[in-house]
Amino acid sequence: MVVWWWDVGRPTHQITKSPNHQVFMKYYLIAGEASGDLHGSNLLKALKKEDPTATFRCWGGDLMAAAGATLVKHYRELAFMGFLEVVKNLPTIARNFRFCKKDILDFQPDVLILIDYPGFNLRMATWAKKQGIRVFYYISPQLWAWHTSRVKIIREAVDRMFVILPFEKDFYQKHGVEVDFAGHPLMDVIALQGEQATDDFFEKNGLKKGKPIVALLPGSRRQEITRMLGTMLQMPALFPDYQFIVAGAPSVERSFYEPFLKQNQGVFLVENQTYALLRHAAVALVTSGTATLETALFNVAQVVCYRGNKLSYLLARLLVSRDLKFISMVNLLAERQLVAELIQDDLTVEKLAAELKKLLEMETRREILEGYAEIRKRLGEPGASARVAKRMVELG
């Protein structure tokens, strides 16, 4: 059912109808990073099945474009991380806002779907609501972790929240926001990867088949990679019985990694093969973010790492909820410290080596894998993208 309303005397956008009066819906999606592109692409595919006549325009990446949306701006141009980085790029960010608003008004969407990326998308939600545009928010910002006050923006500007973590439903309902929880979309992605698995990973990448792999996932942004990868790459010399493989981010060109690799002969880089890497890895060192949950769903024991700009980190500490005991999604979902977290000054060569040594012990890995099984149960069955798409079309 399509709902239309008037906003302060201003008519809503025109409905396009076919000769037989069928409504052709127009959706505008905004994702600002690799994980948003992934989940946005799966949502797009599901929406097209539910609403075959619809048209889609997006900010995202190659996956969303391949799923059938007209790509307006790539997330590579939007990856500003941390307080100082944002301040330095304020003119660019302001231009992006202006451009996005104009593009939305020109496209005249029936529904704006915002995917995570809160620094940009919460502002867009407030603006779009004033334009009389229906707003859906898919994949909640982590308001339960910090900036809880921003839930007021969600309550006032977003027509429907679609959350992917079970505890988020209780959080929003406590704040008077109606939400839908349909499971986590990564369950779909992992299930699909299992179906597409091949056995040529070692041969394809020139790796030694009998030598166990330590996967290095240093992040998807250049700032993250710069701060994390140098420390991670101190491990190969300390653990010569393992081969260390770096997962290249899809938005970062190979040349960016070359200086790191030249200093560490024998370390390999694989591009656009993170899931294949995780399927074959014994253990992993992972930068905090979506990748920690992906690693858990592939049943790979891990150490979670994070180091940010010092000022940005201190400011974040002031804003983070005092009730939050962990930063990794794995530990938050497990509701205990299931995997080690080495954060900021704790991310040293000595501490990382000690945690990696523990991880290589069978008993430690067994305990972690048992915890992963509990997490999978909490995230629900595969099919989240299809369930969300169906609900969006119903509410649209």
Side-chain angles (χ1 to χ4, degrees):
M1 179 177 136
V2 182
V3 180
W4 299 94
W5 70 99
W6 293 70
D7 178 30
V8 198
R10 177 173 55 242
T12 61
H13 308 302
Q14 296 297 313
I15 307 174
T16 304
K17 294 185 178 181
S18 65
N20 63 358
H21 303 292
Q22 181 181 3
V23 175
F24 291 122
M25 294 289 288
K26 294 197 290 185
Y27 299 86
Y28 199 109
L29 296 83
I30 302 177
E33 52 198 357
S35 62
D37 181 38
L38 171 64
H39 298 316
S41 69
N42 289 326
L43 178 63
L44 273 164
K45 293 171 189 174
L47 282 169
K48 289 181 77 173
K49 287 183 180 178
E50 289 290 330
D51 192 358
T53 62
T55 55
F56 302 90
R57 194 169 176 85
C58 76
W59 288 38
D62 300 338
L63 296 176
M64 291 174 76
T70 299
L71 181 63
V72 179
K73 181 139 334 230
H74 201 288
Y75 65 78
R76 281 193 296 262
E77 303 175 55
L78 310 171
F80 305 117
M81 177 187 172
F83 177 76
L84 288 180
E85 289 81 4
V86 169
V87 170
K88 286 191 294 186
N89 288 282
L90 280 176
T92 301
I93 293 170
R95 283 195 299 273
N96 285 338
F97 274 116
R98 290 194 297 271
F99 176 77
C100 188
K101 290 174 183 178
K102 182 180 184 305
D103 195 60
I104 289 173
L105 290 177
D106 289 344
F107 184 61
Q108 295 281 290
D110 302 302
V111 180
L112 174 65
I113 300 175
L114 306 173
I115 303 173
D116 199 2
Y117 195 46
F120 191 90
N121 277 340
L122 286 175
R123 287 182 62 182
M124 292 309 302
T126 300
W127 172 83
K129 185 69 173 181
K130 293 176 181 176
Q131 310 309 309
I133 301 171
R134 195 159 178 76
V135 179
F136 293 158
Y137 211 121
Y138 180 49
I139 305 181
S140 168
Q142 295 179 355
L143 304 189
W144 36 267
W146 66 310
H147 268 340
T148 302
S149 60
R150 293 186 298 177
V151 76
K152 182 182 177 184
I153 300 173
I154 299 285
R155 189 167 55 240
E156 294 177 352
V158 174
D159 293 283
R160 195 74 174 187
M161 286 294 299
F162 297 87
V163 300
I164 63 173
L165 300 171
F167 57 79
E168 290 177 328
K169 186 167 185 177
D170 292 337
F171 168 80
Y172 277 109
Q173 287 182 338
K174 184 176 72 176
H175 287 88
V177 178
E178 286 298 317
V179 301
D180 286 281
F181 169 67
H184 202 295
L186 272 179
M187 301 299 285
D188 299 343
V189 176
I190 304 305
L192 182 62
Q193 287 294 315
E195 295 172 6
Q196 297 176 343
T198 61
D199 294 324
D200 64 348
F201 179 74
F202 286 87
E203 293 81 0
K204 180 180 176 181
N205 294 288
L207 306 177
K208 297 178 181 178
K209 205 161 190 177
K211 197 172 185 181
I213 290 175
V214 177
L216 305 181
L217 279 65
S220 60
R221 300 181 180 93
R222 286 171 173 77
Q223 299 102 314
E224 288 178 326
I225 296 165
T226 299
R227 295 190 183 112
M228 244 60 71
L229 191 52
T231 304
M232 289 180 176
L233 287 175
Q234 299 299 307
M235 297 303 104
L238 302 175
F239 297 87
D241 294 333
Y242 293 81
Q243 51 186 332
F244 287 74
I245 316 297
V246 179
S251 60
V252 179
E253 62 279 1
R254 186 180 186 88
S255 60
F256 183 83
Y257 296 94
E258 291 296 347
F260 296 99
L261 300 176
K262 284 179 181 177
Q263 297 174 27
N264 295 272
Q265 298 298 322
V267 175
F268 291 83
L269 172 75
V270 297
E271 298 177 275
N272 299 314
Q273 299 177 73
T274 300
Y275 288 169
L277 172 59
L278 288 173
R279 276 201 306 271
H280 293 90
V283 297
L285 308 181
V286 187
T287 294
S288 181
T290 303
T292 64
L293 184 54
E294 292 172 315
T295 302
L297 293 177
F298 274 100
N299 249 12
V300 181
Q302 64 186 295
V303 178
V304 176
C305 309
Y306 188 77
R307 183 188 291 125
N309 173 278
K310 286 189 177 181
L311 178 58
S312 297
Y313 177 73
L314 290 173
L315 289 171
R317 285 288 301 270
L318 294 174
L319 295 170
V320 167
S321 168
R322 293 183 180 180
D323 296 330
L324 200 70
K325 297 178 182 178
F326 311 108
I327 74 162
S328 72
M329 193 56 62
V330 173
N331 287 339
L332 288 168
L333 285 165
E335 298 179 346
R336 67 182 189 278
Q337 185 168 318
L338 180 61
V339 298
E341 296 182 352
L342 297 180
I343 311 303
Q344 207 63 13
D345 293 339
D346 283 335
L347 182 56
T348 64
V349 172
E350 295 75 20
K351 289 185 178 181
L352 185 57
E355 292 298 339
L356 178 54
K357 185 178 179 181
K358 289 181 194 174
L359 210 60
L360 296 172
E361 297 170 0
M362 185 63 72
E363 182 60 23
T364 301
R365 291 208 303 279
R366 184 187 64 77
E367 292 174 4
I368 290 174
L369 298 187
E370 287 176 356
Y372 286 171
E374 296 172 16
I375 290 172
R376 280 194 292 274
K377 288 179 183 177
R378 292 176 185 174
L379 292 178
E381 296 296 322
S385 300
R387 290 189 289 271
V388 169
K390 182 177 177 61
R391 185 67 173 137
M392 283 184 172
V393 171
E394 289 173 352
L395 293 170

